[in-house]
Amino acid sequence: MRPKLLYEAYENDFLIGAAVSRKNLKNYHTLLKNFNSITPENELKFENIHPARDNFNFDDFDKMVSYAKENEKVVRGHTLIWHNQIPKWLVEEKNLDRQNLLKDMEMHISTIMDRYRNSVYCWDVVNEAITDENDGIFRDTFWKRYIGNDFIDRAFFFAHEAVPKAQLYLNEYNLEIENKADKLIEVIKNLKKNHVPIHGVGIQGHYSIYFPKIKMIQNMFEVFSKLDLMLQITELDVSMFRFEDRRKDLKTPTNEMIENQKRYYNKLFKLFREYKDLISGITFWGVADDYTWLDDYPVQGRKNWPLLFDIRHQPKAIFNELISRS
Ligand code: GLA
């Protein structure tokens, strides 16, 4: 009997996804067999898919959607409204005000969602709207500045109107930190009070072998289990470095790092399974260590090894452990 694929090992628990770009589909084709969900890494970002007011560039994402269909995977839509990777035409518009921006927002959301109504089952409608600072709840972004605090409400209403059956998520990071989780809860309460159609919270999950402690993640699940929303881990990776660590000299991970990462992923997946009724999907932000955004963040040009497959596309020991656990 052939060994199980990763998604098969968790088939009764949640979807297992990976973020990938169109140009890497071929390169990762064999490894992608382990995932039953994909997320476009950048193809749906505003500046890429909507580079001019009257011009949408659907080609890249169309190709990804066909690939997903041919290979029997579902697609997570990431992301519609975010403060990064937005185009010049939008930001530099002459008559920028609430009404005009709401029109642009609606046009953006409805055009994209309508096109992919039968190929994308869930959307990160808004990404990273909450501030990490002690200066209130919302991050000071382009969207908030011109539309106001209800830009999240509006985005979700537009999305629901475009495709009523789509699952709509609010995606965030650092939710393992109590202060930020409290703000999220406040936001969700208000959305619900205003009858905003929201179905889930996306937890990015950019972790490291040092932080957050698994207990913090469990506490977050406990608190969020009362929200009456689904949860998804949307951008999982486990960096080998503390965030403050700016070393650049390591060419390969140390044995200690590899062991710590194995331990961390093991505990993490044990926890995910305990909360499987709450969690509908786990998506990794990448496929194998030969290509990860962490090679350039937070230290430009520093190699990192955050995923389940190594730089030569070989499964790490942890990959086999996660599979044999089922
Ligand atoms: C954020 C975004 C993702 C991606 C990652 C890393 O978490 O939500 O789309 O851009 O940063 O690059």
Side-chain angles (χ1 to χ4, degrees):
M1 217 173 69
R2 68 161 171 82
K4 277 191 178 170
L5 296 165
L6 185 62
Y7 84 84
E8 289 172 333
Y10 291 88
E11 220 156 17
N12 297 324
D13 306 323
F14 26 69
L15 292 162
I16 298 282
V20 62
S21 62
R22 176 197 170 179
K23 68 175 188 331
N24 275 336
L25 286 174
K26 257 210 193 112
N27 180 27
Y28 287 134
H29 179 65
T30 306
L31 298 188
L32 282 172
K33 292 189 199 316
N34 284 287
F35 303 86
N36 52 1
S37 168
I38 57 170
T39 301
E41 189 186 7
N42 283 308
E43 288 73 358
L44 273 178
K45 304 273 171 76
F46 207 130
E47 66 179 4
N48 293 335
I49 198 162
H50 194 173
R53 165 169 282 111
D54 305 320
N55 175 23
F56 283 83
N57 169 19
F58 294 123
D59 188 50
D60 286 336
F61 192 52
D62 281 356
K63 293 278 179 345
M64 297 192 74
V65 161
S66 317
Y67 177 86
K69 272 202 185 109
E70 280 157 29
N71 293 280
E72 295 178 21
K73 301 180 200 312
V74 296
V75 182
R76 277 201 97 243
H78 170 87
T79 176
L80 292 164
I81 300 299
W82 189 28
H83 57 276
N84 278 334
Q85 294 182 257
I86 44 181
K88 270 215 168 87
W89 70 262
L90 184 71
V91 183
E92 290 175 0
E93 198 195 326
K94 276 201 213 74
N95 302 316
L96 207 48
D97 65 14
R98 175 176 162 92
Q99 282 320 317
N100 285 330
L101 194 53
L102 280 172
K103 263 190 224 144
D104 288 336
M105 180 193 254
E106 176 171 21
M107 194 259 281
H108 179 75
I109 291 177
S110 64
T111 309
I112 295 171
M113 285 187 69
D114 184 48
R115 184 177 182 93
Y116 300 110
R117 62 170 57 246
N118 294 320
S119 19
V120 174
Y121 81 102
C122 97
W123 291 89
D124 289 335
V125 179
V126 174
N127 192 26
E128 303 183 343
I130 299 172
T131 179
D132 294 292
E133 312 301 323
N134 285 324
D135 59 353
I137 291 191
F138 298 102
R139 181 194 282 265
D140 179 26
T141 67
F142 167 74
W143 299 104
K144 170 180 129 92
R145 233 169 289 142
Y146 289 98
I147 296 180
N149 288 346
D150 69 337
F151 84 90
I152 305 178
D153 306 45
R154 304 315 310 166
F156 275 81
F157 278 123
F158 292 145
H160 185 64
E161 204 169 300
V163 182
K165 67 179 176 188
Q167 293 177 38
L168 307 181
Y169 278 72
L170 183 63
N171 199 43
E172 253 311 331
Y173 67 93
N174 272 354
L175 294 173
E176 301 74 14
I177 298 169
E178 233 177 272
N179 185 270
K180 188 117 178 235
D182 287 347
K183 294 182 193 180
L184 178 98
I185 291 167
E186 183 79 20
V187 170
I188 301 282
K189 277 193 185 144
N190 277 320
L191 293 177
K192 290 202 164 179
K193 200 173 77 201
N194 298 334
H195 306 289
V196 173
I198 174 167
H199 308 107
V201 175
I203 294 157
Q204 289 192 356
H206 291 298
Y207 298 151
S208 82
I209 55 179
Y210 302 99
F211 188 86
K213 298 282 178 231
I214 302 294
K215 186 75 192 145
M216 293 171 74
I217 304 175
Q218 178 167 18
N219 291 344
M220 169 184 69
F221 288 159
E222 278 302 312
V223 176
F224 288 179
S225 68
K226 303 189 180 74
L227 289 176
D228 196 25
L229 292 174
M230 288 313 290
L231 303 183
Q232 291 207 358
I233 311 297
T234 55
E235 306 183 20
L236 181 62
D237 44 25
V238 178
S239 163
M240 295 295 199
F241 299 95
R242 281 180 211 282
F243 190 74
E244 308 71 39
D245 185 344
R246 300 294 145 108
R247 261 180 311 163
K248 261 190 116 161
D249 49 344
L250 269 185
K251 297 283 173 278
T252 50
T254 63
N255 287 337
E256 193 191 349
M257 283 173 163
I258 293 170
E259 274 308 304
N260 284 340
Q261 189 186 51
K262 192 168 84 174
R263 200 169 311 129
Y264 195 91
Y265 265 126
N266 253 320
K267 288 191 194 159
L268 202 53
F269 271 75
K270 188 161 166 280
L271 181 71
F272 290 159
R273 214 177 230 155
E274 278 169 34
Y275 286 85
K276 65 178 182 168
D277 294 341
L278 190 63
I279 300 174
S280 58
I282 309 286
T283 289
F284 290 83
W285 202 254
V287 182
D289 287 347
D290 59 326
Y291 176 72
T292 161
W293 75 294
L294 290 171
D295 285 350
D296 285 312
Y297 185 85
V299 181
Q300 186 107 37
R302 180 197 46 201
K303 189 71 203 124
N304 207 326
W305 305 274
L307 298 160
L308 301 184
F309 296 95
D310 70 17
I311 53 169
R312 280 180 292 277
H313 293 196
Q314 295 307 303
K316 298 182 182 174
I318 177 60
F319 175 83
N320 295 321
E321 287 184 23
L322 291 184
I323 284 182
S324 60
R325 156 104 52 72
S326 64

